[in-house]
Amino acid sequence: MERLCTPAAMRAWADARRAEGARIGLVPTMGYLHDGHVSLVRVAREAGSSAVAASIFVNPTQFGPGEDFETYPRDEARDLSMLDAAGVDAVYLPGARDMYPEGHQTHVDVRTVSQGLCGAARPGHFRGVATVVAKLFLAAKPHVAVFGEKDCQQLAVIRAMTRDLDFGIEIVGAPIVREEDGLAMSSRNAYLSGDDRIAARCLSRGLFRAKELFGKGERDAGTLVGAARAAIEAEPRALPEYAEGRDPVTLAPRSGRVDAVTILVAAKVGPTRLIDNITLGK
């Protein structure tokens, strides 16, 4: 597994792979990897990638004031070992000055789909996400890029940016990977311990309750979302942020009778802000 630390080195690797006729897959991460990240590598291979690169970069521009940029969990040695074992061909490890050189003044702003949900709670977050992903795309020159569906709004933002800016990259969403008790895997789960870890299950519990109701024939979006919200509100250690029903493709708000809906939830449990979602119907 090659280690590449500058945009120029990443571009050179990508140019060489393309000259060989390889189909490049990219798996962007912020490190502190878990089995969910490893599944993204597998999905990239399944999407026909003969050369897979992963990136590790804790992107400062997607963290707001008072958020956890400085304390975000990091373990580069462990991450590299996991990526090597997963069969990644190259890992891109740029530094902050490589990504944002002195005088950096250009950003990518994806407007509509970034509104509400996490966009309301974290102003500027998706501008930082779109900007760094655009830079990763330009350096790695992938044919396909894989992102986890747990970050549902982020995935929608990236799809819109890729379409609008004519990147010509196939964006693949990988299914959420969960712990045995249902909690969606996340690097920030490292912040959870004791009673907070147990309490965090309220997010998935609410989503699974909505799924159960949908399976029994319930089609009212408000009722389904209400079931998810109620489970979070019933947990004393959880501070609910939002529970909403959105269109699975456009993320437009849904109400009334639905044949398909994505329910997105967010809550703070102890020191940790958690998000989760589930799509019901086709």
Side-chain angles (χ1 to χ4, degrees):
M1 183 176 71
E2 297 187 54
R3 302 183 189 184
L4 312 166
C5 297
T6 66
M10 184 72 253
R11 287 193 297 271
W13 181 88
D15 288 340
R17 300 295 79 73
R18 281 179 169 260
E20 295 166 356
R23 177 174 165 85
I24 299 173
L26 176 65
V27 176
T29 84
M30 290 209 303
Y32 209 73
L33 305 184
H34 49 69
D35 287 347
H37 293 108
V38 173
S39 77
L40 305 184
V41 177
R42 183 171 61 253
V43 170
R45 292 289 187 194
E46 292 170 351
S49 303
S50 52
V52 175
S55 63
I56 299 174
F57 179 63
V58 182
N59 176 36
T61 67
Q62 68 188 69
F63 290 80
E67 291 189 344
D68 59 340
F69 173 70
E70 296 295 339
T71 60
Y72 191 84
R74 295 164 170 86
D75 191 338
E76 184 177 295
R78 176 175 167 273
D79 291 342
L80 292 173
S81 177
M82 290 179 68
L83 292 174
D84 195 20
V88 167
D89 299 290
V91 60
Y92 183 32
L93 297 154
R97 289 190 176 275
D98 297 306
M99 297 298 280
Y100 301 109
E102 185 176 355
H104 180 273
Q105 57 188 298
T106 304
H107 302 273
V108 179
D109 195 1
V110 182
R111 296 291 180 87
T112 303
V113 75
S114 67
Q115 302 298 309
L117 302 170
C118 289
R122 306 181 70 189
H125 169 69
F126 287 118
R127 185 176 78 158
V129 168
T131 300
V132 76
V133 171
K135 292 175 72 67
L136 292 172
F137 283 176
L138 291 169
K141 302 182 181 182
H143 297 84
V144 58
V146 183
F147 298 85
E149 291 178 349
K150 183 181 76 70
D151 296 298
C152 187
Q153 190 176 17
Q154 172 181 280
L155 180 56
V157 166
I158 291 166
R159 282 180 166 146
M161 178 194 73
T162 302
R163 178 198 64 219
D164 294 348
L165 297 184
D166 300 317
F167 273 109
I169 298 168
E170 179 186 357
I171 305 299
V172 176
I176 296 172
V177 177
R178 298 185 179 277
E179 304 285 358
E180 290 186 5
D181 61 2
L183 182 67
M185 287 190 176
S186 169
S187 298
R188 286 188 169 95
N189 289 352
Y191 300 150
L192 296 168
S193 61
D195 290 340
D196 287 340
R197 175 62 182 78
I198 296 171
R201 295 182 294 186
C202 67
L203 281 79
S204 58
R205 184 163 59 247
L207 295 175
F208 296 158
R209 175 55 180 158
K211 180 180 179 180
E212 180 184 358
L213 291 175
F214 190 87
K216 292 179 178 179
E218 180 60 65
R219 291 296 182 270
D220 180 71
T223 301
L224 295 167
V225 171
R229 181 185 296 111
I232 300 172
E233 291 176 342
E235 172 49 63
R237 302 183 76 87
L239 180 63
E241 184 177 296
Y242 64 73
E244 296 190 26
R246 297 292 184 105
D247 183 274
V249 177
T250 67
L251 282 193
R254 298 298 306 272
S255 61
R257 179 177 173 80
V258 293
D259 293 321
V261 64
T262 296
I263 301 175
L264 303 97
V265 296
K268 192 170 185 180
V269 179
T272 312
R273 183 180 183 273
L274 301 171
I275 61 173
D276 203 347
N277 70 83
I278 195 168
T279 297
L280 307 174
K282 295 182 179 180

